């Protein structure tokens, strides 16, 4: 309910009388009751409060205005937030200068951009941020906490936006923790036995960003593009789960866009890698137990030093809880020899049996726990990684379904045509969702997960081209948007000049114009021949040399021509 002075948020649960009153002038948040809502208020339905953010024009309230039901997990409804609204506390913008108005517009478009990326999920009754195993090993006090208090901060994407709500326990029930990633739920049947099969990918909001601007780890040990993926089976009250993680190679390296198709990765020479590396694995061991690293990068060319450094650091850490295996995915599976992936699965089989999976029976008794985890990575932790994760998850699922009595002994999942189709499509959709959120396009190699084809190769080429364009010419804005949304950058209302007004170097405009003019003249000279062929050749050579020379200068200074982030300093990001 909106009035010029306040926003009133009414709880719609049965029997609830609570109303959240947000003062639009003082920004104070208090609890009141329904009878205090003025009849003159403009009323509209919302499905949750995402939080608040301060921009140049003051504070804004972000609310969920549309939702779509994904399904139910143990009788709890799970929703995908599909539309949002950003409501200004201020009733007018007259107090702003033209430059401030422009800046505010850019910041608003950044927030809108993050909200437009598909994959925000929430539940008002179920904690989506924890795995089944973590939830089963909690205390009664934990169960009594509000969803906001007990949520895993790694996977609450609106944690920064809810910081003011978090400070007031009495209003926690109005705050909706939102997860970013992917959820797929299916009711399936094998041998006439019905079970629910779920796939949940939770993206970490620590060291979040876009593909080329966020690589490696930060000083806290948070890895770029870290995703926890859980596969869940629910059959006759019994629940089984298998968890895997993916994350960028966990030391300090970068791969800045520079107009080249594949920029060369740079391993930082000025920092102590072991500090962050150790922190990363210490926190992983606390969260998941033993670690089996599956490194899928190329073992030649520009990716080789990353593989060698990773192996060396695992060895020098000498921690019995962490093991390492390297598998050159592209070399082994070149020319679509996907059967070669079985080599890796055979190498990991013993380890996978040792790690086991989580299983709780219909009486709520824990039968087995997952003792360790596969931490997979390639360069982006997207395409190759997803293929391997889907194969490991299938092997675990096979064991779970046999143990639950859904599959007969000797039956294989691959032979169950209807379920196999659901399985492959869900994993391919998972790859697409994670890739769009990180790289800006759908994943490559998803047709392997579905069914590898020549058409899939063409689509991979097309997606690679779109990735190239976005990585070079629009990812700076995307990175800034994520940093603003997650609170890595805070807008200073009194600051006169924002970082958005970084002046571009003269060559940024001049060189592309010279190149286009020179190339156009070259074509014109070819089409409109001179009096003699020598004259034509001279003109073509002159303009051709000018266009190629300018192109070479642009390529040499590639970093000056890409769309770089403006809000968070490069040093901090590295």
């Amino acid at each position: 309910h909106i009035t010029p002075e306040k926003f009133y948020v009414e709880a719609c649960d049965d029997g609830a009388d609570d109303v959240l009153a947000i003062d639009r002038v003082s920004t104070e948040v208090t609890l009141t009751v329904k009878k205090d809502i003025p009849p003159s208020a403009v009323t509209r339905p919302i499905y949750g409060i995402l939080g608040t953010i301060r921009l140049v024009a003051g504070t804004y309230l972000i609310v969920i205005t549309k939702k779509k039901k994904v399904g139910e997990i143990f009788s709890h409804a799970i929703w995908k937030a599909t539309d949002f609204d950003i409501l200004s506390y201020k009733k007018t913008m007259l107090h702003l200068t033209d430059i401030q108005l422009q800046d505010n517009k850019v910041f608003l478009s950044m927030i809108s951009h993050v909200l437009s990326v598909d994959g925000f999920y929430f539940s008002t009754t179920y904690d989506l941020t924890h795995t089944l195993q973590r939830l089963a090993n909690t205390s009664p006090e934990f169960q009594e906490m509000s969803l906001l208090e007990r949520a895993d901060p790694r996977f609450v994407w609106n944690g920064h936006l809810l910081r003011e709500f978090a400070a007031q326990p009495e209003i926690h029930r109005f705050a909706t923790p939102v997860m970013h990633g992917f959820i797929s739920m299916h009711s399936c049947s094998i041998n006439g036995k019905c079970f629910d099969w779920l796939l949940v990918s939770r993206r970490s909001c620590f060291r979040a960003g876009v593909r080329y601007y966020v690589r490696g780890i930060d000083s806290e040990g948070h890895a770029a593009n870290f995703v926890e993926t859980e596969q869940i089976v629910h059959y006759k009250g019994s629940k089984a789960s298998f968890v895997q993680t993916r994350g960028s190679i966990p030391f300090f390296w970068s791969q800045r866009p520079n107009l080249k198709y594949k920029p060369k990765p740079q391993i930082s020479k000025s920092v102590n890698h072991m500090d962050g590396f150790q922190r990363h694995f210490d926190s992983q061991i606390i969260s998941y137990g033993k670690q089996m690293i599956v490194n899928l990068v190329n073992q030649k060319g520009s990716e080789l030093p990353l593989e060698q450094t990773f192996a060396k650091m695992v060895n020098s850490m000498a921690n019995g809880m962490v093991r390492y295996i390297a598998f050159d995915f592209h070399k082994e599976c070149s020319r679509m020899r996907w059967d070669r992936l079985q080599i890796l699965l055979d190498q990991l089989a013993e380890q996978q049996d040792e790690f086991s999976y989580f299983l709780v029976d219909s009486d709520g008794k824990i039968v087995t726990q997952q003792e360790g985890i596969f931490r997979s990575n390639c360069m982006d932790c997207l395409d190759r990684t997803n293929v391997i994760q889907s194969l490991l998850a299938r092997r675990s699922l096979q064991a779970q379904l046999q143990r639950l009595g859904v599959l007969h002994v000797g039956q294989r999942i691959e032979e169950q045509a209807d379920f196999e189709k659901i399985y492959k499509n869900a994993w391919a959709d998972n790859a697409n969702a994670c890739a769009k959120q990180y790289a800006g396009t759908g994943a490559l190699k998803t047709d392997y997960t579905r069914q590898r084809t020549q058409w899939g190769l063409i689509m991979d080429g097309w997606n690679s081209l779109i990735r190239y364009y976005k990585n070079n010419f629009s990812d700076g804005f995307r990175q800034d948007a994520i940093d603003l949304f997650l609170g890595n950058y805070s807008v200073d209302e009194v600051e006169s000049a924002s970082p958005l007004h970084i002046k571009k170097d003269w060559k940024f405009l001049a060189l592309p114009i010279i190149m286009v003019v020179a190339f156009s003249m070259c074509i014109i000279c070819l089409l409109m021949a001179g009096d003699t062929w020598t004259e034509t050749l001279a003109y073509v050579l002159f303009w051709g040399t000018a266009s190629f020379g300018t192109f070479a200068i642009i390529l040499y200074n590639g970093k000056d021509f890409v769309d770089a982030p403006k809000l968070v300093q490069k040093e901090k990001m590295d």
Side-chain angles (χ1 to χ4, degrees):
H1 307 278
I2 302 172
T3 70
E5 291 76 38
K6 289 185 179 179
F7 296 125
Y8 295 93
V9 183
E10 179 190 335
C12 294
D13 325 42
D14 291 338
D17 192 42
D18 281 353
V19 170
L20 192 71
I22 303 171
D23 193 299
R24 294 176 67 175
V25 180
S26 70
T27 74
E28 194 185 355
V29 184
T30 52
L31 278 180
T32 179
V33 287
K34 282 182 191 172
K35 66 176 194 320
D36 289 345
I37 301 168
S40 59
V42 178
T43 299
R44 58 182 293 193
I46 64 165
Y47 299 107
I49 294 175
L50 207 66
T52 61
I53 192 161
R54 292 177 79 82
L55 301 179
V56 184
T59 308
Y60 285 81
L61 178 72
I62 308 174
V63 293
I64 301 166
T65 55
K66 282 185 190 162
K67 63 177 182 177
K68 187 171 100 184
K69 191 168 182 179
V70 182
E72 289 194 1
I73 181 167
F74 320 130
S75 305
H76 297 276
I78 308 299
W79 305 92
K80 180 193 259 193
T82 55
D83 208 358
F84 305 86
D85 207 354
I86 308 167
L87 308 168
S88 175
Y89 280 36
K90 293 276 199 297
K91 296 177 279 293
T92 170
M93 299 278 179
L94 294 174
H95 60 295
L96 299 180
T97 65
D98 286 349
I99 290 174
Q100 286 177 317
L101 274 172
Q102 190 56 40
D103 285 354
N104 199 65
K105 200 172 162 186
V106 174
F107 288 134
L108 275 174
S109 69
M110 285 179 182
I111 299 299
S112 297
H113 173 78
V114 174
L115 296 173
S116 72
V117 177
D118 196 33
F120 287 102
Y121 298 89
F122 69 98
S123 171
T124 53
T125 55
Y126 185 78
D127 187 347
L128 279 174
T129 65
H130 289 289
T131 63
L132 288 193
Q133 183 160 315
R134 284 202 295 266
L135 288 173
N137 291 311
T138 53
S139 62
E141 295 80 49
F142 180 87
Q143 304 289 345
E144 293 300 309
M145 288 180 182
S146 67
L147 287 178
L148 180 61
E149 263 179 305
R150 59 186 261 179
D152 187 329
R154 294 178 299 167
F155 306 124
V156 181
W157 267 64
N158 56 336
H160 168 69
L161 303 178
L162 289 174
R163 67 206 177 284
E164 286 170 14
F165 286 73
Q168 291 177 253
E170 71 277 9
I171 62 171
H172 278 185
R173 57 186 296 234
F174 284 92
T176 312
V178 172
M179 181 201 107
H180 198 216
F182 176 76
I183 299 180
S184 175
M185 298 184 174
H186 294 275
S187 292
C188 310
S189 175
I190 293 178
N191 296 328
K193 292 167 182 174
C194 297
F195 61 95
D196 290 325
W197 178 75
L198 291 78
L199 190 60
V200 182
S201 277
R202 307 172 176 98
R203 290 188 76 217
S204 173
C205 57
F206 298 137
R207 196 151 178 79
V210 298
R211 185 181 178 213
Y212 279 144
Y213 285 114
V214 178
R215 294 293 211 194
I217 51 169
D218 60 19
S219 54
E220 306 291 307
H222 300 305
N225 199 24
F226 183 85
V227 183
E228 173 188 276
T229 300
E230 181 176 24
Q231 177 177 264
I232 299 170
V233 178
H234 185 212
Y235 175 64
K236 285 188 173 173
S238 293
K239 296 175 255 188
S241 129
F242 180 66
V243 179
Q244 301 179 74
T245 60
R246 59 176 82 179
S248 192
I249 298 173
F251 45 80
F252 298 94
W253 63 284
S254 58
Q255 195 177 10
R256 300 263 158 209
N258 57 6
L259 297 183
K260 290 183 177 146
Y261 178 70
K262 210 172 176 186
K264 196 176 174 187
Q266 306 286 333
I267 298 172
S268 177
K269 293 183 173 69
S270 58
V271 291
N272 177 1
H273 292 283
M274 209 60 199
D275 264 7
F277 190 82
Q278 189 87 47
R279 279 188 184 189
H280 176 73
F281 282 107
D282 285 349
S283 70
Q284 294 301 294
I285 290 164
I286 290 165
S287 298
Y288 305 105
K290 291 177 183 169
Q291 300 283 306
M292 182 71 208
I293 299 162
V294 184
N295 190 3
L296 304 167
V297 300
N298 298 344
Q299 290 173 35
K300 63 174 189 180
S302 63
E303 295 182 15
L304 175 64
L306 293 170
E307 192 280 315
Q308 290 173 330
T309 307
F310 201 172
K312 198 164 84 185
M313 290 183 74
V314 173
N315 284 334
S316 57
M317 187 168 66
N319 185 331
M321 297 285 278
V322 182
R323 294 188 201 166
Y324 178 89
I325 188 166
F327 180 81
D328 191 330
F329 187 103
H330 285 150
K331 180 187 164 199
E332 295 291 346
C333 303
S334 61
R335 300 193 294 282
M336 289 169 54
R337 294 178 302 168
W338 301 105
D339 55 294
R340 311 267 304 163
L341 293 171
Q342 194 58 45
I343 297 169
L344 177 61
L345 288 186
D346 291 344
Q347 285 177 297
L348 298 174
E350 191 182 328
Q351 189 76 69
Q352 188 167 6
D353 295 338
E354 184 196 313
F355 286 169
S356 188
Y357 46 81
F358 176 72
L359 178 64
V360 58
D361 65 19
S362 51
D363 300 327
K365 181 172 161 286
I366 295 171
V367 182
T368 63
Q369 301 239 34
Q370 188 174 334
E371 304 289 339
I373 207 158
F374 290 99
R375 185 209 186 276
S376 313
N377 69 269
C378 46
M379 289 298 281
D380 302 321
C381 313
L382 295 175
D383 315 317
R384 296 172 259 186
T385 300
N386 197 77
V387 170
I388 295 303
Q389 284 197 337
S390 73
L391 295 175
L392 289 167
R394 183 197 270 128
R395 191 173 179 277
S396 180
L397 185 62
Q398 170 106 14
Q400 290 167 8
L401 292 178
Q402 282 187 349
R403 188 155 184 176
L404 292 169
V406 175
L407 281 176
H408 306 319
V409 178
Q411 271 191 315
R412 292 168 59 80
I413 285 179
E414 292 91 316
E415 294 154 9
Q416 317 306 315
D418 291 346
F419 177 73
E420 178 72 352
K421 191 177 176 187
I422 290 169
Y423 183 87
K424 284 186 161 184
N425 282 331
W427 272 97
D429 293 342
N430 177 61
N432 269 331
C434 293
K436 279 177 182 158
Q437 291 157 8
Y438 186 54
T441 72
L444 315 181
K445 302 177 183 65
T446 52
D447 63 312
Y448 163 72
T449 321
R450 297 185 211 270
Q451 194 63 55
R452 192 63 168 162
T453 58
Q454 296 292 341
W455 175 246
L457 286 174
I458 295 166
M459 285 311 296
D460 282 359
W462 175 245
N463 273 333
S464 296
L465 274 176
I466 295 172
R467 271 189 197 179
Y468 171 80
Y469 175 80
K470 288 196 170 184
N471 295 160
N472 284 285
F473 304 113
S474 67
D475 270 3
F477 177 85
R478 286 177 62 222
Q479 183 63 50
D480 283 339
I482 293 165
D483 281 327
L484 178 65
F485 188 87
L486 295 177
N488 300 332
Y489 175 82
S490 298
V491 174
D492 189 343
E493 289 177 58
V494 293
E495 198 176 62
S496 52
S498 79
L500 297 173
H501 302 286
I502 295 170
K503 286 272 187 290
K504 282 284 186 188
D505 196 284
W506 64 270
K507 61 177 177 275
F508 178 76
L509 281 174
L511 289 175
I513 292 170
I514 294 167
M515 187 183 80
V516 170
V517 168
F519 186 70
S520 306
M521 290 301 292
C522 185
I523 300 296
I524 290 166
C525 292
L526 277 170
L527 296 174
M528 299 171 66
D531 296 338
T532 62
W533 70 268
T534 48
E535 188 184 342
T536 305
L537 185 64
Y539 281 130
V540 169
L541 280 173
F542 174 77
W543 290 114
T545 306
S547 61
F548 280 110
T550 321
F551 177 70
I553 295 168
I554 289 173
L555 212 54
Y556 181 75
N557 295 287
K559 283 187 179 175
D560 297 335
F561 290 87
V562 296
D563 176 40
K566 299 182 176 80
L567 299 185
V568 177
Q569 290 311 303
K570 178 179 180 298
E571 291 73 32
K572 188 177 167 189
M573 289 173 59
D574 279 344

